[in-house]
Amino acid sequence: KGESCPFRCINRLDRDTSGALILAKNALSAAILSVQMRNRQISRTYLAVVEGIPRQSGTISAPISRAADSVIERRIDFENGESAITHYQLLEVKNNHSLLEIHLETGRTHQIRVHMASTGHPLAGDAVYGPKNCIKSLNGQCLHAKELGFVHPRTGEWMQFDSPLPPYFTELLTRLRKEHRA
């Protein structure tokens, strides 16, 4: 529309994570949506490809803090970390990689990446928390914010949005399925 509009991001994604974001068009909407986020009223569903085969489902409840020697890296820290809770469900296993559906109760920086790595199942392509021999040709970790749901700040209507998988993610799934059959 050619209108000037400040950037009011309600949720955030790690660099190299694809998917849906909520952007507010005005300060009032941003405030209302921020309260929803703080009160855990915004539903977030992620898809991730991880190394290995985790249990069928689980909840990871482990506090996260910044790693002492890094501005970027986070770690599990039961003494000084902030509460972090991640739920996951195994959807598919191919060629020693697993496709997971993940739901967050909290939203700490790198939460999914740190939690999955702590279980021995880092995200495929994660150069920070994953194995050094991670899958080549990926544009980052295989983590995608698939769905977002929230109450519209003006109408009060429940809104649900779905973000299609990016090409590199679907190509990896296709490649893993082919390797599995071979």
Side-chain angles (χ1 to χ4, degrees):
K1 292 181 178 181
E3 298 172 9
S4 166
C5 184
F7 184 78
R8 295 180 180 97
C9 192
I10 305 305
N11 65 319
R12 57 185 167 64
L13 296 176
D14 293 344
R15 181 181 308 230
D16 297 333
T17 298
S18 57
L21 285 171
I22 302 172
L23 303 175
K25 290 171 72 174
N26 59 62
L28 178 59
S29 292
I32 293 168
L33 289 165
S34 292
V35 168
Q36 287 183 39
M37 183 63 85
R38 187 172 41 257
N39 292 339
R40 301 178 183 170
Q41 296 167 323
I42 294 178
S43 72
R44 296 169 288 168
T45 302
Y46 292 80
L47 292 179
V49 175
V50 299
E51 306 274 339
I53 306 167
R55 292 188 330 219
Q56 187 64 34
S57 65
T59 296
I60 305 163
S61 180
I64 295 175
S65 71
R66 184 184 308 264
D69 57 344
S70 175
V71 237
I72 297 171
E73 200 169 338
R74 303 300 195 262
R75 65 185 176 95
I76 303 283
D77 182 349
F78 286 97
E79 288 183 29
N80 303 307
E82 293 184 82
S83 171
I85 302 169
T86 304
H87 306 279
Y88 71 89
Q89 177 75 40
L90 180 64
L91 299 178
E92 185 177 347
V93 175
K94 298 288 186 237
N95 199 25
N96 203 37
H97 286 81
S98 301
L99 176 64
L100 303 180
E101 179 177 289
I102 299 173
H103 298 272
L104 296 179
E105 271 191 44
T106 54
R108 306 291 171 229
T109 300
H110 298 184
Q111 179 175 324
I112 294 171
R113 298 166 64 196
V114 170
H115 275 174
M116 294 318 300
S118 77
T119 68
H121 303 288
L123 273 63
D126 190 338
V128 176
Y129 303 103
K132 299 305 174 211
N133 63 344
C134 63
I135 298 173
K136 293 175 176 37
S137 79
L138 293 179
N139 297 339
Q141 66 272 356
C142 280
L143 181 60
H144 180 72
K146 180 77 173 131
E147 294 176 354
L148 277 175
F150 59 92
V151 174
H152 191 281
R154 188 172 40 85
T155 67
E157 176 187 359
W158 177 256
M159 309 283 294
Q160 186 84 25
F161 298 93
D162 183 78
S163 174
L165 288 171
Y168 84 92
F169 203 114
T170 54
E171 288 166 11
L172 173 64
L173 291 174
T174 301
R175 191 167 77 213
L176 291 173
R177 288 173 184 136
K178 283 181 184 175
E179 290 172 5
H180 181 72
R181 284 191 289 260

